[in-house]
Amino acid sequence: MSKKSPSKFSIGIIQMAFTKKPKENVKNAVKWIEKAATQKAQVICLPELFTSQYFCQSENIDFYDLAEPLDGPSIKEVSKAAAKNKVVVIAPFFEKRAVGVYHNSAAIIDADGTIAGLYRKMHIPDDPAFYEKFYFTPGDLGFKSFDTEFGNIGTLICWDQWYPEGARLTALQGASVLFYPTAIGWHPKEKEEHGKAQFESWQTVQRGHAIANGVYVAAANRIGLEKQNPNSAGIEFWGRSFICDPQGIILAEASTDREEVLIAEVDLDRIEYIRRNWPFLRDRRIDAYGGITERLID
Amino acid sequence: MSKKSPSKFSIGIIQMAFTKKPKENVKNAVKWIEKAATQKAQVICLPELFTSQYFCQSENIDFYDLAEPLDGPSIKEVSKAAAKNKVVVIAPFFEKRAVGVYHNSAAIIDADGTIAGLYRKMHIPDDPAFYEKFYFTPGDLGFKSFDTEFGNIGTLICWDQWYPEGARLTALQGASVLFYPTAIGWHPKEKEEHGKAQFESWQTVQRGHAIANGVYVAAANRIGLEKQNPNSAGIEFWGRSFICDPQGIILAEASTDREEVLIAEVDLDRIEYIRRNWPFLRDRRIDAYGGITERLID
């Protein structure tokens, strides 16, 4: 339960573009947090790795310079904005935990600017131009929900969105909404043939998590064509951030190419209504799920 | 792997209406199996409880008369049709296991008419007019995949479709396709307000299982307004049986109100292509999924 257990709270999903300059990105993020707060958002989520362009397009040790500790300057700036606007902010960042140990993390900043919790991305992808296994140690804090000023929320990060286990384990801890800060896009040469199917798979699997768990789901993606050098094709981040309700109904969806904020209401009475009518959590066969911890059952 | 490991096989999903007479239903099912075989289907799936109307609309001990053992006359008839047409058939039936122990089961009948396996519905619903906990002991055989003449397949039944755990555990055993024989419909008085969202949730969560696991999914539903007595509103079974591919793309979808057969191809090379490009199974955090066997993490 949340600290104050209100029956409703408002969430804001920020869809942004990013420049090569971290300070500019932080400043832009703060501007969008203020805009979202003006629109009455109480829990605001930034996209994955919000201080930088998506540097994982190549394996380059110089990019470790972009990492900061949880008490570093970027999270401090966002904490100030959270306190000033009295909003909760999910700030996903490149975490420097120790020399040689870095994570793809999200700071959950409470409405007074204090740190309510930390999530470290559990599932780490590695695909051409998404070389995350090079940069990020897989999370060791497990799947978590966080009690904030306005409600109990969970966050996962990007690649986590393909894993029903992560959604389930977060929902079982009481989260009313699962946030998925994301950096997903098209390889430009694949877009025409596969782009529509890739987007639809991405959205569908997350709507599935909402339905299976009776929770809201909110995905915050970035936009823009980011190239690490002029000769590369780069990645075209597809935007289309969205929020869906516990029945998987889309409440708000963003464009593919504009910075914007999506606002929606998380209504605990709606969760109660859906879970009473379709009481999936009642009938889970926990006696028969042990094999989930196997790699394969072969 | 399947016995012969062909790289492709064809599946047929039968969408049927049901009368109050089991013999008529079995005869009609055999007719549809033959039609599907004529259209080159190799693995054919009938809807849930294929010998009867959906008797769970009320709690009435007389309906136990509808149950049959695995070697009873209805499964024998279907086995004959399977052998005659050289097709695999998933025949979901009301199983009498012992006096006082009944299951909602599916016989997997191989192409020579022998029994390749038995699945007993693991997740048992209980909602107004879906009083399944009265009739069916929850399955005790676990989640399973089956090696058949044409390929490795899994089956779950209806309410199982809301549980990502069941889909995952079946896919981890090597199934290329998850069949979901089903009896789902609208309460007529709810249809206008909630009907569209209910159908879409049902289809979306199953497409999500396809995407998360890189498998085909095929759902076989019944049609028709079934009333147990003239004064009840009954249930309007919504049809819309469908087949989707490992990316969640709909390959075939049936009407809401006609008996029909859907045919699609299961292509193991397509599964390989999808799983190579989005290697979700590679990155599962099996070290961190233990909580899945908890009821809640509270």
Side-chain angles (χ1 to χ4, degrees), chain A residues 187-246:
Chain A
H187 294 291
K189 68 174 166 37
E190 286 185 4
K191 183 182 174 185
E192 189 175 333
E193 186 178 354
H194 299 293
K196 183 171 178 286
Q198 289 174 349
F199 164 74
E200 289 181 356
S201 291
W202 174 76
Q203 189 177 68
T204 300
V205 80
Q206 291 177 87
R207 289 175 63 205
H209 302 331
I211 297 161
N213 294 288
V215 292
Y216 290 79
V217 164
N221 195 17
R222 64 175 59 203
I223 58 163
L225 176 65
E226 295 184 14
K227 291 187 182 196
Q228 287 195 323
N229 68 66
N231 299 324
S232 79
I235 300 175
E236 184 183 340
F237 293 94
W238 69 45
R240 299 288 287 272
S241 301
F242 71 93
I243 304 172
C244 73
D245 86 349

Side-chain angles (χ1 to χ4, degrees), chain B residues 14-193:
Chain B
I14 291 169
Q15 175 167 298
M16 286 172 59
F18 294 88
T19 74
K20 289 190 191 297
K21 296 184 181 169
K23 281 187 183 169
E24 283 182 5
N25 296 323
V26 174
K27 198 172 162 187
N28 194 28
V30 167
K31 185 191 81 180
W32 279 101
I33 289 167
E34 283 171 356
K35 276 196 194 186
T38 305
Q39 293 180 52
K40 309 290 183 205
Q42 294 171 297
V43 180
I44 296 168
C45 181
L46 296 167
E48 184 180 12
L49 299 168
F50 88 99
T51 66
S52 66
Q53 288 200 336
Y54 186 73
F55 52 86
C56 315
Q57 289 189 47
S58 64
E59 299 192 352
N60 180 343
I61 57 171
D62 292 341
F63 288 130
Y64 288 115
D65 290 342
L66 293 166
E68 295 181 28
L70 179 59
D71 61 358
S74 298
I75 298 299
K76 276 200 177 133
E77 277 303 301
V78 175
S79 294
K80 267 191 256 176
K84 181 180 161 199
N85 294 282
K86 299 187 175 58
V87 292
V88 172
V89 179
I90 297 166
F93 71 115
F94 186 15
E95 182 193 2
K96 181 172 185 173
R97 183 174 175 185
V99 178
V101 179
Y102 301 81
H103 296 282
N104 186 332
S105 301
I108 292 83
I109 302 166
D110 218 334
D112 60 0
T114 59
I115 301 296
L118 180 68
Y119 172 75
R120 290 178 176 140
K121 187 173 182 173
M122 292 288 285
H123 300 98
I124 307 295
D126 197 281
D127 292 306
F130 292 85
Y131 298 109
E132 295 199 19
K133 289 193 195 295
F134 176 77
Y135 292 102
F136 309 126
T137 295
D140 58 349
L141 299 176
F143 302 97
K144 298 170 74 171
S145 80
F146 303 93
D147 192 27
T148 73
E149 177 73 14
F150 303 110
N152 194 317
I153 61 170
T155 192
L156 298 119
I157 300 175
C158 204
W159 193 240
D160 292 323
Q161 67 216 346
W162 303 102
Y163 295 84
E165 293 92 343
R168 179 70 96 202
L169 287 163
T170 306
L172 289 181
Q173 293 171 62
S176 304
V177 49
L178 309 182
F179 290 95
Y180 286 98
T182 297
I184 193 168
W186 294 299
H187 293 291
K189 68 175 165 37
E190 286 185 3
K191 183 182 173 185
E192 189 175 332
E193 186 178 354

Side-chain angles (χ1 to χ4, degrees), chain A residues 2 74 100 173 200 210 226:
Chain A
S2 70
S74 298
Q173 292 172 63
E200 289 181 356
E226 295 184 14

Side-chain angles (χ1 to χ4, degrees), chain A:
Chain A
M1 298 308 293
S2 70
K3 291 174 186 169
K4 294 185 174 174
S5 295
S7 70
K8 293 180 182 183
F9 58 97
S10 176
I11 62 174
I13 292 300
I14 291 169
Q15 176 166 297
M16 287 172 58
F18 295 88
T19 74
K20 289 189 191 297
K21 297 183 180 169
K23 281 186 184 171
E24 282 181 5
N25 295 324
V26 174
K27 197 172 164 187
N28 193 31
V30 167
K31 185 191 82 179
W32 279 102
I33 288 168
E34 284 171 355
K35 275 196 193 184
T38 306
Q39 293 180 52
K40 308 292 184 203
Q42 294 171 297
V43 180
I44 295 169
C45 182
L46 296 168
E48 185 179 12
L49 298 168
F50 89 98
T51 67
S52 66
Q53 289 199 335
Y54 187 72
F55 53 85
C56 315
Q57 289 190 48
S58 64
E59 299 192 351
N60 180 343
I61 58 171
D62 293 341
F63 288 130
Y64 288 114
D65 291 342
L66 294 166
E68 294 181 27
L70 179 59
D71 61 359
S74 298
I75 298 299
K76 274 199 179 133
E77 278 304 301
V78 175
S79 293
K80 268 192 254 175
K84 180 180 163 199
N85 294 283
K86 298 188 176 57
V87 291
V88 172
V89 179
I90 296 167
F93 71 116
F94 185 16
E95 182 193 2
K96 181 172 185 173
R97 182 175 176 185
V99 178
V101 180
Y102 302 81
H103 295 284
N104 186 332
S105 300
I108 292 82
I109 302 166
D110 218 336
D112 60 1
T114 59
I115 301 296
L118 179 68
Y119 173 74
R120 291 178 176 141
K121 187 173 182 173
M122 291 290 283
H123 300 98
I124 307 295
D126 197 279
D127 291 307
F130 292 85
Y131 297 110
E132 295 200 19
K133 288 193 195 295
F134 177 77
Y135 293 102
F136 309 125
T137 295
D140 58 348
L141 299 175
F143 303 96
K144 298 170 73 171
S145 80
F146 302 93
D147 193 25
T148 73
E149 178 72 14
F150 302 110
N152 194 317
I153 62 169
T155 191
L156 298 119
I157 300 175
C158 203
W159 193 240
D160 291 324
Q161 67 216 346
W162 303 101
Y163 295 85
E165 293 92 344
R168 180 69 98 202
L169 287 163
T170 307
L172 289 181
Q173 292 172 63
S176 303
V177 50
L178 309 183
F179 290 95
Y180 286 97
T182 297
I184 193 167
W186 294 299
H187 294 291
K189 68 174 166 37
E190 286 185 4
K191 183 182 174 185
E192 189 175 333
E193 186 178 354
H194 299 293
K196 183 171 178 286
Q198 289 174 349
F199 164 74
E200 289 181 356
S201 291
W202 174 76
Q203 189 177 68
T204 300
V205 80
Q206 291 177 87
R207 289 175 63 205
H209 302 331
I211 297 161
N213 294 288
V215 292
Y216 290 79
V217 164
N221 195 17
R222 64 175 59 203
I223 58 163
L225 176 65
E226 295 184 14
K227 291 187 182 196
Q228 287 195 323
N229 68 66
N231 299 324
S232 79
I235 300 175
E236 184 183 340
F237 293 94
W238 69 45
R240 299 288 287 272
S241 301
F242 71 93
I243 304 172
C244 73
D245 86 349
Q247 208 172 14
I249 297 171
I250 301 288
L251 301 177
E253 185 175 306
S255 63
T256 56
D257 56 0
R258 291 191 312 277
E259 293 198 321
E260 53 190 303
V261 56
L262 298 179
I263 307 281
E265 194 172 71
V266 170
D267 181 351
L268 303 195
D269 292 337
R270 172 82 178 149
I271 291 175
E272 180 131 9
Y273 175 81
I274 292 295
R275 289 192 189 176
R276 284 186 184 194
N277 278 280
W278 278 350
F280 306 142
L281 294 180
R282 181 191 63 193
D283 296 329
R284 294 177 66 241
R285 289 296 304 272
I286 56 174
D287 60 307
Y289 293 161
I292 292 284
T293 59
E294 301 295 320
R295 180 66 61 205
L296 284 171
I297 305 171
D298 52 0

